[in-house]
Amino acid sequence: MAENPKEVSDRPVIGLEKELQEINEAVERFGDGVPAHIAIVSEPLGGRTTIANEIRRLYGERVTYLPLKFVMSPSSLPDFSASPGDIILIDNCRLLATRRIGGFDVLDAFLLALISSKKLFITTWNMYSWQYLSAVMNIEAYFSTVIVLARMDAPDLKQVIMSRYKPGEIRFINDGVAERSMFFSLVHKQVRLPLKGAEVSIPWIKLNFTLMLRRLPRKKRIQISIEDLIFEKINRISRGNPGVAVHLWEASLEDNVISLNAINETTYSINLDTSESFILTIILSMKSLQEDDLIAIVGSEMDIRRVLYRLVCEGLVRNDDGYYSIPAFALEPVAEYLKKTRRLW
């Protein structure tokens, strides 16, 4: 299950400097003999893979990397004491538990190994799985450092995307005036909750006065570059999710040329029954699952094939070689719908 650290990307990490500093401080505390297990939490496509790769690059041979790739069983849980190095990085920890009777057995065994070990555990979690486990078993009590990856704002998203290209490689086309909806931006502020002490990211409306002034008479106008307008639009549609922003960019880019009109927002009208909402919640919190995994979780009483067929037809779920997941552009609409129907915390 361990993977070669040489596979790590050397692409620069952007917009996650604060989180990496927190991780470095926790590793230093561990070096002083203090328990310092780390949980890294984000929504799907929110940057966990980037953070995990950077940890592997920074700490090299100290790290044993264990990416979980399927729903774990007690027999598939590795012997952590046999791992080389003093840091164990476990990716995709959502696969340690399922919402069924006995679904916490593997997670309980893992947490027992974690608190009994002299090694440092760095773990990554799906936001929605973490919130569920936090509500039902206080999962955060096992980690002295919990890092929730914040959504990014337009300047960071621009850097993330443009770092993949050489200067001048992308051509930005001005094909019309900006949309009225771009007179405001969504920025993502970190707020510390008073009771739990944890930080959460909340959306905040910021008026784009520069863009508004652009519509003044010509002599009084303030110029704003077309590429900044484009990344403002990408930020608004992606809601600051870096992975969704990259998907949107790639879907809009043609022959290294991009324009405002090429960036289109996918809209969804969601109206599901109880079974469909429940299965959609499970897929969202687990990222991707096979049909057999879903049957094992919900039992044989539910017609899983009918539910999956309906969700695929609605464009809310896709089937990739037998693995069911939520498309990037549907992540935010699905999460909003499930929160409104009280399926998510």
Side-chain angles (χ1 to χ4, degrees):
M1 190 182 296
E3 293 193 0
N4 190 334
K6 293 182 179 179
E7 298 172 0
V8 177
S9 170
D10 59 358
R11 186 173 294 163
V13 174
I14 297 165
L16 298 170
E17 294 83 4
K18 175 176 173 288
E19 290 82 355
L20 287 168
Q21 179 61 32
E22 288 185 63
I23 292 168
N24 182 63
E25 291 170 358
V27 172
E28 288 181 356
R29 289 195 297 271
F30 165 73
D32 293 333
V34 179
H37 301 306
I38 303 168
I40 301 165
V41 183
S42 83
E43 60 189 0
L45 303 180
R48 292 191 308 275
T49 299
T50 300
I51 284 278
N53 286 341
E54 185 65 5
I55 290 170
R56 296 167 66 194
R57 188 189 70 80
L58 288 172
Y59 299 105
E61 294 182 356
R62 292 182 64 184
V63 178
T64 297
Y65 180 52
L66 302 174
L68 307 184
K69 297 181 179 179
F70 48 83
V71 176
M72 302 295 287
S73 65
S75 61
S76 60
L77 201 64
D79 178 7
F80 299 112
S81 63
S83 300
D86 60 341
I87 299 174
I88 300 177
L89 173 57
I90 305 180
D91 211 355
N92 305 324
C93 286
R94 66 184 182 275
L95 297 171
L96 292 169
T98 58
R99 301 189 188 194
R100 63 179 178 185
I101 296 174
F104 286 3
D105 290 350
V106 176
L107 180 59
D108 288 338
F110 167 73
L111 293 174
L112 178 60
L114 179 145
I115 62 177
S116 304
S117 177
K118 294 182 179 180
K119 298 178 184 291
L120 170 63
F121 282 74
I122 304 178
T123 58
T124 74
W125 303 79
N126 176 296
M127 170 74 77
Y128 304 112
S129 175
W130 178 266
Q131 290 174 341
Y132 172 73
L133 294 172
S134 178
V136 301
M137 64 173 297
N138 194 28
I139 185 74
E140 64 269 22
Y142 294 88
F143 299 91
S144 61
T145 301
V146 177
I147 298 172
V148 179
L149 303 189
R151 297 186 179 195
M152 295 185 180
D153 297 329
D156 283 335
L157 291 178
K158 179 179 177 179
Q159 280 190 276
V160 167
I161 291 172
M162 295 308 295
S163 67
R164 300 146 57 101
Y165 301 94
K166 298 176 182 178
E169 189 174 355
I170 300 300
R171 193 153 59 97
F172 297 87
I173 301 297
N174 189 345
D175 54 3
V177 296
E179 305 169 356
R180 289 184 179 273
S181 60
M182 292 175 63
F183 288 165
F184 65 89
S185 297
L186 279 178
V187 297
H188 309 284
K189 292 182 176 290
Q190 290 297 103
V191 176
R192 186 171 294 278
L193 297 178
L195 296 180
K196 302 188 74 172
E199 283 193 349
V200 297
S201 178
I202 61 170
W204 195 268
I205 300 298
K206 174 186 174 184
L207 294 178
N208 284 337
F209 290 107
T210 302
L211 187 55
M212 291 177 176
L213 291 171
R214 192 169 180 249
R215 295 179 64 88
L216 291 173
R218 183 174 299 276
K219 291 184 180 180
K220 298 182 179 180
R221 285 184 188 176
I222 293 177
Q223 295 300 313
I224 183 171
S225 70
I226 184 60
E227 60 186 274
D228 284 339
L229 288 176
I230 283 172
F231 283 107
E232 284 286 355
K233 186 173 183 180
I234 289 174
N235 174 51
R236 177 178 60 80
I237 295 174
S238 69
R239 309 289 180 90
N241 182 308
V244 176
V246 169
H247 276 80
L248 182 58
W249 168 269
E250 292 176 345
S252 309
L253 189 69
E254 185 174 355
D255 295 329
N256 284 357
V257 175
I258 192 166
S259 66
L260 276 174
N261 285 339
I263 305 168
N264 296 311
E265 184 172 6
T266 306
T267 57
Y268 296 86
S269 178
I270 306 176
N271 184 20
L272 305 176
D273 63 28
T274 301
S275 297
E276 293 160 353
S277 295
F278 180 58
I279 294 300
L280 196 59
T281 303
I282 293 174
I283 296 174
L284 179 64
S285 64
M286 301 294 280
K287 187 177 179 181
S288 67
L289 286 171
Q290 291 182 300
E291 183 179 313
D292 290 344
D293 290 326
L294 286 166
I295 292 173
I297 292 170
V298 304
S300 57
E301 300 83 13
M302 186 184 297
D303 187 351
I304 291 293
R305 290 185 177 179
R306 181 199 69 80
V307 172
L308 290 174
Y309 175 77
R310 160 105 163 110
L311 294 175
V312 170
C313 288
E314 291 294 313
L316 303 175
V317 167
R318 67 182 184 190
N319 180 359
D320 295 318
D321 296 326
Y323 284 86
Y324 292 89
S325 62
I326 297 175
F329 301 145
L331 284 171
E332 187 68 25
V334 163
E336 287 184 353
Y337 174 80
L338 294 176
K339 287 174 183 176
K340 288 178 182 177
T341 55
R342 301 185 183 278
R343 294 284 178 181
L344 292 180
W345 279 265

